[in-house]
């Protein structure tokens, strides 16, 4: 992890401080998630703990069905744990009601879903600008910023196209631009390079490097892509509901 991250210069979030290194941005404390919808209870995450510092990038790997998306959803406040807590920048998500959680997410978290979730009726630039519009920013300013992000993922020329007119990898890049448009403190990505060729994936990596360095943004990236995982500060494997450090 680069040493410049201690200052957390452009990150607006007051992360909780620690004795050494950058402040902790994300903490998962004894997280358990049990699904009770089926005929039998299924415990996907079992007393899992993790701490990620500002500017740090963590890859989470694991076999299909091991609970990676479940974990990311808890970290992003899209789902609530059965027990345990998620703390972001010193704020426990458990203490926020749905409306406050929505505002908190919009302010501090960028989320790239495994299946994009772009709005079909909106163009690429409108989709990417949406978090800023929700925040109350003027349309013109929001779209200007969205266009800059789209340009940084090589999508400038396709900005006026709707998701139905874009390839899988292009949609993925719009989703990445949308996640980064608010300059978040924490970015959670579920298979962000699943549909990308090596050159495009490298562009995304460079953008992540820049954000981690310049705005002390913390990343948790779920991926099957070994080169993407190897590029992160730490690689953790989700297995039997627990995270184990990979060599
Ligand atoms: N809402 C739900 N109700 C019941 N079981 C669920 C629910 N969501 C996920 N599961 C189960 O929990 C387990 C973990 O699912 P999850 O989507 O987190 O896996 P994953 O590691 O992201 O897999 P993949 O790599 O295929 O995306 C799976 O066995 C899945 O069937
Ligand atoms: Mg998944």
């Amino acid at each position: 992890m680069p040493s410049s991250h201690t200052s957390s210069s452009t990150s607006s979030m007051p992360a909780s401080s620690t004795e050494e290194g950058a402040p902790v941005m994300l903490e998962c404390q004894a997280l358990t998630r049990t699904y009770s919808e089926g005929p039998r209870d299924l415990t996907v995450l079992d007393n899992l703990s993790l701490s990620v510092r500002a500017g740090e990038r963590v890859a989470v790997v694991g076999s299909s069905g091991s609970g990676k998306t479940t974990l990311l959803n808890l970290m992003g406040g899209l789902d609530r744990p059965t027990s345990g807590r998620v703390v972001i920048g010193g704020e426990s998500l458990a203490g926020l009601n749905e409306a406050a959680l929505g505002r908190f997410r919009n302010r501090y978290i960028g989320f790239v879903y495994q299946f994009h979730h772009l709005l079909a009726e909106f163009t690429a630039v409108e989709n990417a600008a949406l978090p800023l519009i929700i925040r109350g920013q003027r349309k013109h300013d929001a779209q200007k910023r969205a266009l800059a992000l789209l340009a940084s993922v090589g999508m400038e020329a396709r900005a006026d196209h709707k998701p139905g007119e874009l390839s899988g990898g292009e949609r993925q890049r719009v989703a990445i631009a949308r996640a980064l448009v608010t300059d978040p403190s924490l970015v959670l990505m579920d298979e962000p390079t699943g549909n990308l060729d090596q050159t495009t994936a490298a562009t995304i990596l460079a953008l992540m490097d820049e954000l981690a360095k310049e705005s002390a943004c913390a990343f948790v990236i779920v991926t099957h892509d070994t080169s993407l995982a190897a590029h992160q500060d730490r690689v953790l494997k989700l297995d039997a509901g627990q995270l184990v450090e990979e060599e």
Side-chain angles (χ1 to χ4, degrees):
M1 187 171 65
S3 57
S4 60
H5 297 162
T6 40
S7 57
S8 185
S9 54
T10 57
S11 175
S12 51
M13 158 159 277
S16 46
S17 54
T18 52
E19 294 104 53
E20 34 109 16
V24 172
M25 186 57 75
L26 165 71
E27 257 191 293
C28 298
Q29 302 173 347
L31 280 186
T32 294
R33 178 65 170 100
T34 302
Y35 290 117
S36 312
E37 286 88 355
R40 270 175 289 133
D41 283 1
L42 177 68
T43 295
V44 176
L45 306 176
D46 186 9
N47 202 27
L48 175 154
S49 294
L50 170 69
S51 182
V52 182
R53 292 175 185 276
E56 194 180 13
R57 288 167 305 159
V58 174
V60 173
V61 300
S63 55
S64 178
S66 60
K68 303 180 298 297
T69 296
T70 300
L71 176 61
L72 224 52
N73 286 346
L74 293 181
M75 289 172 173
L78 298 166
D79 182 25
R80 305 266 189 186
T82 308
S83 63
R85 302 201 305 165
V86 174
V87 180
I88 296 175
E91 177 93 46
S92 170
L93 300 190
L96 304 175
N97 64 25
E98 289 308 309
L101 195 55
R103 285 192 297 274
F104 187 88
R105 268 205 305 267
N106 179 267
R107 178 123 192 239
Y108 296 117
I109 304 173
F111 203 104
V112 179
Y113 299 89
Q114 190 165 10
F115 303 106
H116 320 312
H117 292 309
L118 297 175
L119 298 178
E121 292 308 308
F122 290 96
T123 63
V125 68
E126 287 166 345
N127 266 288
L130 207 58
L132 295 174
I133 301 287
I134 290 170
R135 222 179 235 207
Q137 205 173 92
R138 281 173 43 216
K139 189 177 163 190
H140 175 263
D141 297 338
Q143 293 205 353
K144 197 171 153 197
R145 165 97 182 126
L147 260 182
L149 258 303
L150 285 175
S152 66
V153 295
M155 282 294 295
E156 208 173 12
R158 310 287 287 155
D160 294 325
H161 290 264
K162 291 180 179 171
E165 302 155 1
L166 300 174
S167 74
E170 286 174 340
R171 281 179 223 169
Q172 205 152 20
R173 283 185 280 160
V174 176
I176 291 168
R178 180 184 57 185
L180 302 178
V181 78
T182 55
D183 202 5
S185 305
L186 173 67
V187 175
L188 305 171
M189 295 179 153
D190 206 345
E191 292 286 356
T193 58
N195 293 310
L196 302 183
D197 60 86
Q198 275 186 350
T199 313
T200 312
T203 307
I204 304 296
L205 266 180
L207 181 63
M208 284 159 49
D209 281 348
E210 197 181 306
L211 284 166
K213 206 174 283 176
E214 288 177 3
S215 54
C217 183
F219 287 87
V220 178
I221 302 152
V222 164
T223 186
H224 289 288
D225 179 342
T226 46
S227 66
L228 176 66
H231 196 83
Q232 310 309 313
D233 298 313
R234 276 193 285 159
V235 182
L236 302 171
K237 186 173 185 184
L238 188 52
D239 187 28
Q242 300 271 332
L243 283 174
V244 267
E245 201 109 12
E246 291 265 276
E247 284 305 301

